[in-house]
Amino acid sequence: MTTKTYIPPTDSIQRQWHVIDAEGQRLGRLATEIATILRGKNKPTFTPHMDTGDFVVVVNAEKVVVTGRKSSMKLYRRHSGRPGGMKVETFDKLQARIPARILEQAVKGMLPKNSLGRKQFTKLKVYAGPEHPHQAQNPVIHAVNTIPGEAK
């Protein structure tokens, strides 16, 4: 008796669009929720080596929060590739300059580090404000779990 691994047919994968409001949400908890949807782990047809995930649109990325002193202590590094080309920026400064990049980097770190992860990352759309240009896709408003007993 051999059991076969279920592999969903590629033509039957239904991709939905989810809208997530990041206002007042914790960075890490929100990023794990987004990464789960992008990978398709919230579906019964999840297959680790296939892209079965949905599209995610995140609005109000500028209003995402971190706890404790992370806003002044958390560092974001980038390198130009040239000698001495490393730039270091705190969470506060990056949030004021490019708020979408904070959430993008957090989610990207939670995806697989291969071509599948890069393909899944292209389905993430992050916007700093409340507006987004994806109304034509009829997105579903996705409620992110909040911490019990905490006012939003």
Side-chain angles (χ1 to χ4, degrees):
M1 180 173 108
T2 59
T3 57
K4 299 230 177 194
T5 303
Y6 172 74
I7 298 176
T10 53
D11 58 338
S12 71
I13 297 173
Q14 299 290 324
R15 300 210 191 278
Q16 241 185 342
W17 285 73
H18 299 269
V19 173
I20 297 177
D21 189 0
E23 184 174 355
Q25 297 290 329
R26 304 276 170 85
L27 175 62
R29 292 175 187 271
L30 181 63
T32 54
E33 193 84 19
I34 294 167
T36 302
I37 296 169
L38 288 175
R39 289 200 66 199
K41 291 186 91 171
N42 58 339
K43 296 180 175 183
T45 58
F46 171 68
T47 309
H49 65 277
M50 289 179 69
D51 185 13
T52 58
D54 294 335
F55 289 87
V56 177
V57 178
V58 181
V59 294
N60 290 324
E62 64 199 4
K63 296 178 182 169
V64 75
V65 295
V66 290
T67 58
R69 293 174 39 201
K70 287 190 214 76
S71 58
S72 60
M73 302 288 280
K74 186 170 176 60
L75 299 175
Y76 289 89
R77 294 174 179 88
R78 64 186 194 280
H79 200 288
S80 67
R82 313 235 346 135
M86 180 176 271
K87 306 278 185 187
V88 180
E89 210 168 5
T90 63
F91 176 88
D92 280 339
K93 289 182 182 175
L94 187 59
Q95 193 171 32
R97 203 168 63 88
I98 312 170
R101 186 171 294 170
I102 291 170
L103 205 50
E104 286 171 355
Q105 280 192 356
V107 172
K108 191 173 191 175
M110 296 179 183
L111 294 175
K113 276 59 170 184
N114 53 27
S115 59
L116 178 64
R118 289 189 294 274
K119 185 178 176 188
Q120 291 167 343
F121 183 68
T122 61
K123 295 186 312 227
L124 174 65
K125 317 292 181 196
V126 183
Y127 299 99
E131 301 299 319
H132 65 87
H134 302 287
Q135 288 300 332
Q137 282 76 23
N138 299 323
V140 176
I141 295 174
H142 186 84
V144 178
N145 298 337
T146 56
I147 300 167
E150 199 173 283
K152 189 173 176 187

